[in-house]
Amino acid sequence: MPRVPVAITKVLGHLPRAPRALADRYATRRPHPEPELVTQPHPWTRALGLVAVVLVGAWLGLLVVGNVRVPVGPMNTTMTLRPSLTGGTKINVSPLGALQFASHIAPVRLDVNVDQLDPERAQALVDHPERLSGLQEEVTQDVTDGTLDLALRSVVAVVTGATALGLVVYRRPRRALAAGGLALTLLAASGGTAYATWNPESVLEPKFSGLLSSAPSLVGNARSIVTEFDVYQKELARLVTNVTKLYDATSTLPAYAPDPSTIRVLHVSDVHLNPASWKIIASLVAQYKVDVIVDSGDTMDHGTAAENGFLDPIEDLGAPYVWVRGNHDSRVTQSYLEDLKNVHVLDDGEAVTIRGLRFAGTGDPQFTPDRSQAPGGDAANELAGARLASALRDQKAAGTPVDVVVAHEPIAARKTDGEVPLALAGHIHQQTTEVLPYGTRLRTEGSTGGSGLRAVEGKHPDPIQTSILYFDRDTRRLQAWDEIELGGLGLTTAEVRRHLVEENQPGAPDGESASPGTSP
């Protein structure tokens, strides 16, 4: 028994050495570094990054596989969805140009490229013209089938593109699938927005660009638009039919086919001594078979007698010329124009009937050719407008109501609200249209001279703007108008925008028309 404590003591005597040995053994080793903290991105940053990946991937997918080739009637087309801030539909008719319709508001645009005309199918239509009557139904079915095919292909393209890019960026299947799911959600939301904002009547107001701007007959005349354009698919079919005829008939674009019951008025303004304007006006008069030209002033720049020779081409434009004085036109200018043949100068409410329309107007009461001179303010034009309105009331009382009133300043034209169906003005160098509180429609023209010498003052040259107004010969009311815009100095662009008055939109009661004195 006495030996037990001794043995225990010996064992315990060796125990303290083990920790010292371990300490000596590991003393030469480096201590383990403290773990570093990894900064995680903010949740909003991660979300924005995911959205960016989805948008880029969806766009790449649409570029690669998001289009379908569809035979539409005798033409081969390619339909594509493209990202867009404004939506709409764009039809590219190479090499003639393009047409755009505000068909919907969504972050995607439908592009239809007319690639080529199938010679065999086109020749069959030429040999058998009776087949044109059934072409619209055929085209409608082709477009419907192509749109459905495009929708399915776009879903696959968007989801595949977003998922693939998500896998490349994140290298995690879960995040890649999340990108694909978000892409599908965004596409569905875009489709729902397009469906909710779908406007089948948008084909009534197309925007032309390129050479197509010289072929307004593609959309028909004012009366045919009102009576025949009713649904989007039928009119898309009509468009394809007309383009087919255009390709087949001739390589030159047809002139506007006049409607005997339509009066065509060319509205010009603010020529500002631009000699190119006369050639443009003469060309439009011939192409559109214009009945009357209305100039709402500022034909000159300084109103001096030395400038009067600039006005001589007016006699040879091919249509009666109605003119009112602008603030850059002097009394000397007015007197010179009164002596030119085929020119009708309106002032102080004077009225004249030309080609079935009765016009009245007044000149600008201010003459401010030098912009260093302070103008007299709006009061002078308001007074001139009030006198013009009084003259209109006298005309109405005498049984000779005025159809169109003309003034240079929109301020003066506004004073005629309720006294006349249509008022024309200029001065501001911008095309605008509005229906005033008492029913008068105010149409303000841009600069048909591209602002003259002022065209080069800004960063970009001002465009040349004018309009063709279509009037019903029986009612003498405005039916539709085309806004025409040509590129300014050194530019060769051209656009034509078709507009209809509200009462001529599809669904309006037959024979209904707005009249001054009633709210729009």
Side-chain angles (χ1 to χ4, degrees):
M1 293 301 295
R3 296 180 180 177
V4 175
V6 175
I8 293 175
T9 302
K10 290 181 179 180
V11 173
L12 294 176
H14 292 284
L15 288 177
R17 298 177 183 176
R20 285 196 298 269
L22 290 174
D24 294 339
R25 180 178 179 182
Y26 291 100
T28 58
R29 293 189 179 184
R30 294 182 179 179
H32 291 285
E34 294 292 334
E36 296 182 359
L37 296 178
V38 179
T39 303
Q40 295 294 329
H42 192 278
W44 283 109
T45 303
R46 297 175 61 185
L48 291 175
L50 180 61
V51 171
V53 169
V54 168
L55 294 178
V56 174
W59 177 66
L60 292 175
L62 287 176
L63 285 179
V64 176
V65 296
N67 58 73
V68 295
R69 294 187 177 275
V70 181
V72 178
M75 312 188 78
N76 296 324
T77 69
T78 301
M79 294 185 177
T80 312
L81 286 181
R82 289 284 182 257
S84 172
L85 295 177
T86 58
T89 300
K90 183 176 182 181
I91 302 177
N92 299 300
V93 188
S94 179
L96 301 179
L99 299 92
Q100 296 184 41
F101 307 102
S103 57
H104 62 277
I105 301 175
V108 290
R109 183 186 71 198
L110 174 61
D111 283 3
V112 181
N113 294 316
V114 179
D115 299 326
Q116 63 180 4
L117 181 69
D118 187 288
E120 294 182 0
R121 285 179 284 170
Q123 187 62 43
L125 288 175
V126 174
D127 296 338
H128 304 280
E130 68 276 4
R131 296 185 182 181
L132 286 173
S133 60
L135 181 60
Q136 291 191 16
E137 289 74 13
E138 177 186 347
V139 169
T140 299
Q141 187 62 45
D142 291 341
V143 171
T144 301
D145 295 342
T147 303
L148 292 176
D149 191 6
L150 176 63
L152 295 176
R153 185 181 290 265
S154 297
V155 169
V156 174
V158 165
V159 174
T160 302
T163 303
L165 187 60
L167 190 61
V168 171
V169 173
Y170 297 112
R171 299 182 181 180
R172 295 179 182 177
R174 180 176 295 182
R175 295 299 297 275
L177 291 176
L182 181 57
L184 181 60
T185 302
L186 292 177
L187 183 61
S190 299
T193 303
Y195 179 81
T197 59
W198 184 251
N199 178 22
E201 284 80 30
S202 61
V203 72
L204 300 176
E205 301 186 18
K207 175 182 177 182
F208 295 87
S209 61
L211 293 177
L212 281 179
S213 60
S214 299
S217 59
L218 287 179
V219 293
N221 53 50
R223 179 171 293 277
S224 66
I225 286 176
V226 174
T227 58
E228 298 176 14
F229 278 39
D230 52 356
V231 294
Y232 183 83
Q233 286 186 334
K234 287 184 178 180
E235 289 322 301
L236 184 58
R238 179 182 293 275
L239 175 65
V240 174
T241 302
N242 284 330
V243 172
T244 299
K245 295 177 182 178
L246 179 62
Y247 266 102
D248 176 71
T250 177
S251 59
T252 60
L253 296 175
Y256 182 80
D259 182 350
S261 64
T262 300
I263 303 174
R264 293 161 299 280
V265 174
L266 174 62
H267 183 198
V268 303
S269 188
D270 297 87
V271 172
H272 285 292
L273 282 181
N274 186 346
S277 299
W278 300 134
K279 294 183 178 180
I280 294 172
I281 292 173
S283 176
L284 292 173
V285 168
Q287 180 183 350
Y288 284 83
K289 306 299 181 185
V290 168
D291 296 291
V292 184
I293 305 170
V294 175
D295 186 341
S296 49
D298 272 4
T299 312
M300 309 296 256
D301 218 12
H302 294 87
T304 63
E307 297 173 331
N308 286 343
F310 170 75
L311 302 170
D312 292 342
I314 292 178
E315 293 184 320
D316 301 319
L317 292 179
Y321 200 89
V322 178
W323 182 86
V324 296
R325 187 179 65 253
N327 62 294
H328 284 260
D329 304 317
S330 66
R331 294 282 181 174
V332 174
T333 302
Q334 180 165 315
S335 177
Y336 188 85
L337 277 166
E338 289 173 341
D339 294 334
L340 293 181
K341 67 178 182 180
N342 223 22
V343 176
H344 303 268
V345 176
L346 302 180
D347 200 5
D348 299 325
E350 182 182 358
V352 61
T353 300
I354 305 173
R355 302 293 173 87
L357 289 178
R358 190 159 181 80
F359 298 88
T362 189
D364 196 308
Q366 302 177 101
F367 178 52
T368 57
D370 188 348
R371 286 177 292 174
S372 65
Q373 299 179 7
D378 297 341
N381 277 289
E382 290 179 352
L383 179 58
R387 291 175 177 172
L388 180 58
S390 177
L392 295 176
R393 288 190 290 270
D394 293 341
Q395 290 281 344
K396 188 181 299 183
T400 55
V402 171
D403 303 309
V404 182
V405 71
V406 188
H408 180 64
E409 270 269 12
I411 295 174
R414 288 178 181 276
K415 302 299 288 186
T416 66
D417 185 18
E419 306 297 340
V420 68
L422 178 65
L424 302 180
H427 184 65
I428 63 175
H429 294 200
Q430 290 182 356
Q431 292 180 325
T432 64
T433 303
E434 62 176 309
V435 179
L436 301 178
Y438 294 101
T440 294
R441 184 182 301 274
L442 174 59
R443 172 87 184 117
T444 305
E445 191 54 76
S447 174
T448 311
S451 301
L453 295 177
R454 296 164 182 77
V456 296
E457 290 182 346
K459 183 178 180 181
H460 302 287
D462 291 344
I464 294 172
Q465 296 178 321
T466 183
S467 300
I468 302 292
L469 313 177
Y470 304 100
F471 292 82
D472 183 89
R473 188 172 296 275
D474 296 328
T475 65
R476 303 186 304 280
R477 295 299 178 89
L478 182 68
Q479 300 293 305
W481 70 94
D482 288 340
E483 292 181 353
I484 301 173
E485 181 174 307
L486 307 177
L489 296 176
L491 302 179
T492 57
T493 59
E495 291 182 352
V496 179
R497 303 177 184 90
R498 168 62 54 86
H499 300 273
L500 293 178
V501 297
E502 290 78 2
E503 55 268 25
N504 287 330
Q505 295 286 356
D510 293 338
E512 178 181 323
S513 61
S515 60
T518 59
S519 299

